[in-house]
Amino acid sequence: MSLEVRCFPARIQNENTYVITDHDTGCKAVIDPGYFGEDAQEVIGESDSLKYILLTHGHYDHFAAVQEYIDEYPSAVFAAPLNEEYLLHGGRDNKWLALGHGSPICPEADLRLKEGDTITLGATVLSVIETPGHTEGGICFCTGAEVFTGDTLFRLSVGNTSLETGSWDELISSIQSRLYSMGDDVIVWPGHGPASTIGYEKRNNPFVQGKDFI
């Protein structure tokens, strides 16, 4: 099993939109559809190659372009976190995150994801991991070799917990118990900024350290 990952930073909040491709089958998914452009469309290729549109959490900068993907790739399944109802339907913070560019309300998902669910993308299987903290219903997608962390964990940083439904204690617990338990070589693909690895973050992230992880 091997996965190709292409990252497209969006103009809004420099959010990372990922187009991932299963090498064995050519099946593709978009993770955190904040950006929609010709370069991303070229990577996706034929319309029926895109199987899923996946969302890690309910902030506008991560779903800003989801309706464009839904319109352009009608056969793709749009999947969003089950426990993110409040933010997906608007919320105070999404109104200012939108900055007047679009609706702060996310389109209805075809599939709602919870802990233990899996997304099968050809030969690649993405496991859904619930990681509350940045938002109450945030999730990550893990293949075993890489993890797409949304706004839970960044390179040398962590997600903001001052926004609606955020919790610092829950965020730290999610990172320590759910992410830092992964292998050191697991690649971290965050919602903003450059990639990292679990091992690098355990050793160097100034926000989440502890004797059990150094």
Side-chain angles (χ1 to χ4, degrees), residues 7 109 143 145 202:
C7 178
T143 68
K202 286 182 187 178

Side-chain angles (χ1 to χ4, degrees), residues 152-153 158 171-181 208:
T152 297
L153 179 65
V158 297
L171 179 74
I172 299 306
S173 176
S174 290
I175 294 171
Q176 289 183 332
S177 64
R178 308 312 312 280
L179 300 182
Y180 281 6
S181 61
V208 193

Side-chain angles (χ1 to χ4, degrees), residues 7-208:
C7 178
F8 299 91
R11 290 180 294 275
I12 300 174
Q13 309 293 332
N14 288 316
E15 179 269 344
N16 290 335
T17 292
Y18 295 100
V19 177
I20 63 173
T21 305
D22 173 68
H23 272 304
D24 292 346
T25 62
C27 294
K28 301 174 189 292
V30 170
I31 298 179
D32 282 346
Y35 171 78
F36 182 84
E38 291 183 1
D39 46 0
Q41 291 178 270
E42 288 177 4
V43 173
I44 293 170
E46 296 183 5
S47 177
D48 59 359
S49 295
L50 188 67
K51 304 302 182 184
Y52 289 97
I53 305 163
L54 305 173
L55 186 62
T56 61
H57 66 286
H59 281 151
Y60 175 79
D61 53 325
H62 289 255
F63 68 72
V66 67
Q67 188 62 59
E68 293 174 274
Y69 283 100
I70 291 171
D71 293 343
E72 186 70 21
Y73 306 98
S75 64
V77 175
F78 173 40
L82 176 65
N83 297 320
E84 200 73 321
E85 199 72 22
Y86 171 71
L87 291 177
L88 292 174
H89 284 85
R92 182 185 67 246
D93 288 340
N94 270 339
K95 292 176 182 177
W96 70 260
L97 283 169
L99 300 173
H101 293 292
S103 171
I105 298 175
C106 184
E108 288 295 327
D110 303 307
L111 181 64
R112 300 300 293 273
L113 299 172
K114 63 184 185 306
E115 176 76 26
D117 287 344
T118 56
I119 296 292
T120 300
L121 188 67
T124 299
V125 177
L126 295 98
S127 298
V128 175
I129 303 170
E130 292 182 355
T131 53
H134 176 62
T135 65
E136 63 183 349
I139 61 176
C140 298
F141 297 99
C142 182
T143 68
E146 52 263 304
V147 59
F148 297 86
T149 57
D151 285 2
T152 297
L153 179 65
F154 306 129
R155 186 181 186 276
L156 298 177
S157 189
V158 297
N160 181 1
T161 60
S162 68
L163 302 176
E164 291 180 291
T165 79
S167 166
W168 177 258
D169 290 342
E170 285 191 340
L171 179 74
I172 299 306
S173 176
S174 290
I175 294 171
Q176 289 183 332
S177 64
R178 308 312 312 280
L179 300 182
Y180 281 6
S181 61
M182 298 177 182
D184 284 0
D185 293 335
V186 172
I187 300 170
V188 174
W189 298 103
H192 302 266
S196 186
T197 67
I198 291 294
Y200 183 84
E201 297 310 311
K202 286 182 187 178
R203 294 186 296 271
N204 299 289
N205 193 306
F207 295 94
V208 193

